[in-house]
Amino acid sequence: MSKMDRRAFLSRSASVIVGATLVSTPGLMLGDRTFSHAQSPPVPNNNLMDNKLMDADARALHSLAQTYFDGAYEMDADKFASIFHPSSSVTKVGDDGNVSVTPIGMWLAAVRNMKAPKQQGLERHDQILSIDVDGELALLKLKLQIPPRYFTDMLSCLKVNGTWKIAQKVMTSKT
C-alpha cells in the first residue's frame, strides 16, 4: 500500500492499536506513531464528535479486555457472560487437529468447572496486543496465561445497543 493510500485508509477508519502489558504502562499506537496515556493521540480528522466516539470506544474495549482477563484469572463464568453476546461461540483447533465451535452456553458451563489460576496462587500474564475499531465492529487480540498453557485470543466484537459485546472468540494455545 502506498503512503498516500495508507493515509487515506487511516483517515477513513477508526483504527486503534494498543500495545500494552497490563502490568506496565500501556500506550496507544495510531498509524506508525506510539503514544503513552499521558499524551493525546493525533486527530485523524477535524470532526471532534468522531474523535470522542473513537476515544470512548477504545476505553470501552480496553475495559472489556480487563473484564475478560479478570474472568480468566478467576474462572468467573458470570464475568465472561457479561461481555459475551448470548449468540456467540468459541472456535479453536482441537488436539485432534479438527476445528471445534462451541456455543457460549456450553463454554461457560465448562468454565464453571475449571480451577481458577487465582485460587492456585499463580501470577497473571495478561497482554492486549491490539484493538482495531471500525464503526460498530472491533477486533481485540489478547495474550494470557492459564498455566501450563499460553493463549492467544482474537475477540470479534460488535457494538450492540451502544455496548461492546464479544460476538466470536477464536483461540489457540500452547504449553
Side-chain angles (χ1 to χ4, degrees), residues 49-82:
M49 184 57 96
D50 285 346
N51 294 327
K52 285 183 180 181
L53 288 174
M54 187 175 76
D55 289 345
D57 286 337
R59 282 191 307 274
L61 289 162
H62 193 276
S63 177
L64 181 142
Q66 184 61 53
T67 300
Y68 184 85
F69 290 141
D70 292 345
Y73 187 65
E74 299 164 10
M75 280 301 141
D76 187 330
D78 293 331
K79 279 188 182 175
F80 279 129
S82 74

Side-chain angles (χ1 to χ4, degrees), residues 42-119:
V43 178
N45 61 41
N46 291 328
N47 189 334
L48 187 58
M49 184 57 96
D50 285 346
N51 294 327
K52 285 183 180 181
L53 288 174
M54 187 175 76
D55 289 345
D57 286 337
R59 282 191 307 274
L61 289 162
H62 193 276
S63 177
L64 181 142
Q66 184 61 53
T67 300
Y68 184 85
F69 290 141
D70 292 345
Y73 187 65
E74 299 164 10
M75 280 301 141
D76 187 330
D78 293 331
K79 279 188 182 175
F80 279 129
S82 74
I83 57 174
F84 278 87
H85 190 273
S87 67
S88 62
S89 59
V90 176
T91 303
K92 69 177 185 170
V93 176
D95 292 335
D96 60 2
N98 293 317
V99 173
S100 68
V101 180
T102 306
I104 196 61
M106 289 177 62
W107 185 79
L108 291 172
V111 166
R112 286 183 177 92
N113 293 317
M114 292 179 179
K115 192 166 184 177
K118 182 178 182 178
Q119 291 174 330

Side-chain angles (χ1 to χ4, degrees), residues 22 119 127:
L22 293 179
Q119 291 174 330
Q127 187 176 18

